[in-house]
Amino acid sequence: MFLWQPRLLLHYRIQQQLTCRCVHSLASFQQVSRLPERKWRGVVFPFSSLEGHLDRSVDRGDFQLFHPSEEDLQRAERLFTPSAKHVILYTSSAVRMDHVPEIQQPEVCFIGRSNVGKSSLIRSLFSLAPEVEVRVSKTPGHTKKMNFFRVGQAFSLVDMPGYGHKAPRDFVDMVEPYLQARENLVRTFLLVDGSVGPQRADLVAVEMCEEFGLPYVMVMTKIDKVRPGILLPHLLQVQNLIKTQTKYCFAQPFLVSSTQFSGVHLLRCFITHVTGNLQMDSTTS
């Protein structure tokens, strides 16, 4: 039935031998959890480092809706760790819906402006599988196709082309049909640059997600590039946008840094949860 599996396993073993597994020390939650508690919590839950800068009148509740346990984080990490029986790999690219691979497993996709750091974030999510090729360019707008990654039999992840002035010419014809017609799409992750806050193009993307009735999440990237005094107003702006102008967006915005791995472990856990691979008793999704 699965004639391709022996070839994939052989490819995996060869890549394991040829690839230098130079994994960042903060890529693994097991390593992060060995840090002093205040420090590892700041990495895993970036909002905890900002909370002290907030005015007392600000409700903290919506920033901590998804708060998994250490056990949950460890279980999620295992899903992002490859093995011979759990292969994580890039599978294909597509520019039209008739090129999109037909799969049954749950799927998540990442969209955002061309220079928001989308591919960098995906590479950090897959950092425990360095043999997975996620191309990251210094030139904004590098991603011109829909790139599909498979995480074993658990779920697939799609890196979408960036929108904005560097978007591919056929962006609308490529992306909108996918978002509207992809039946196994369980969550869209809308990335916003934390160093500049939501831009006009981001607001258009929010309107599109709302129009299509998509369950989506807003993720603020590059939080290591800006001081708390600048990041916080942008975070509050996003939170106000979610509260006042959205119906289908998850109430909690996520904060991430692809280089410092802040929030990456939490995002892995959330993806694992919304794809049905991690059951949690006390969370809203």
Side-chain angles (χ1 to χ4, degrees):
M1 183 176 177
F2 297 102
L3 298 178
W4 43 264
Q5 194 155 2
R7 185 180 298 175
L8 288 179
L9 293 179
L10 177 61
H11 171 76
Y12 171 79
R13 294 190 181 104
I14 293 174
Q15 288 293 85
Q16 286 283 78
Q17 295 173 4
L18 297 180
T19 304
C20 174
R21 297 183 65 86
C22 301
V23 179
H24 194 284
S25 61
L26 296 180
S28 167
F29 174 73
Q30 290 185 348
Q31 294 291 334
V32 172
S33 64
R34 295 173 184 171
L35 298 171
E37 183 173 359
R38 183 175 179 180
K39 189 167 184 179
W40 79 253
R41 287 193 176 277
V43 173
V44 178
F45 304 106
F47 177 73
S48 65
S49 300
L50 292 173
E51 192 171 2
H53 299 275
L54 280 176
D55 187 272
R56 291 183 179 181
S57 63
V58 177
D59 182 7
R60 272 87 166 150
D62 287 342
F63 297 101
Q64 300 170 321
L65 291 174
F66 186 75
H67 200 84
S69 66
E70 293 183 45
E71 181 182 2
D72 293 329
L73 291 162
Q74 291 169 351
R75 288 163 62 195
E77 181 164 294
R78 287 196 288 271
L79 200 65
F80 283 84
T81 305
S83 67
K85 294 183 179 181
H86 180 68
V87 180
I88 302 174
L89 76 167
Y90 158 82
T91 58
S92 62
S93 297
V95 294
R96 296 194 307 270
M97 278 302 292
D98 54 355
H99 293 166
V100 168
E102 294 184 9
I103 57 175
Q104 300 300 317
Q105 62 197 134
E107 191 162 270
V108 297
C109 75
F110 284 66
I111 64 174
R113 287 194 302 121
S114 297
N115 60 345
V116 76
K118 183 164 38 63
S119 298
S120 296
L121 175 57
I122 293 173
R123 185 167 66 176
S124 70
L125 290 169
F126 288 145
S127 57
L128 298 175
E131 64 276 6
V132 177
E133 183 181 2
V134 183
R135 297 185 64 187
V136 178
S137 174
K138 294 181 179 179
T139 304
H142 174 76
T143 304
K144 299 295 185 182
K145 302 177 181 180
M146 297 180 284
N147 297 318
F148 291 77
F149 301 85
R150 186 163 60 83
V151 181
Q153 299 301 317
F155 67 91
S156 59
L157 183 151
V158 189
D159 184 5
M160 305 294 282
Y163 54 76
H165 71 287
K166 292 289 185 178
R169 189 172 302 174
D170 53 353
F171 174 85
V172 172
D173 295 335
M174 187 190 314
V175 173
E176 289 196 2
Y178 167 85
L179 295 176
Q180 289 181 295
R182 192 65 164 173
E183 293 183 356
N184 60 323
L185 178 63
V186 297
R187 198 65 52 120
T188 296
F189 290 83
L190 173 55
L191 276 52
V192 174
D193 189 334
S195 65
V196 298
Q199 303 295 294
R200 180 177 180 133
D202 300 319
L203 300 180
V204 172
V206 167
E207 291 177 359
M208 176 182 67
C209 291
E210 291 291 319
E211 179 183 347
F212 296 165
L214 296 174
Y216 65 107
V217 184
M218 296 192 72
V219 181
M220 299 187 68
T221 63
K222 304 182 182 180
I223 64 171
D224 58 304
K225 304 295 185 185
V226 62
R227 300 188 307 275
I230 297 176
L231 176 60
L232 273 174
H234 296 159
L235 175 60
L236 294 175
Q237 187 178 0
V238 167
Q239 183 60 31
N240 183 64
L241 173 66
I242 294 173
K243 274 191 170 184
T244 61
Q245 299 184 41
T246 73
K247 179 180 178 181
Y248 300 101
C249 187
F250 184 55
Q252 175 183 331
F254 286 77
L255 300 165
V256 296
S257 164
S258 301
T259 57
Q260 302 299 318
F261 286 88
S262 300
V264 169
H265 310 88
L266 184 65
L267 196 59
R268 283 179 186 154
C269 196
F270 187 78
I271 293 170
T272 305
H273 175 58
V274 296
T275 54
N277 292 286
L278 178 63
Q279 302 302 318
M280 299 174 62
D281 296 330
S282 56
T283 186
T284 303
S285 61

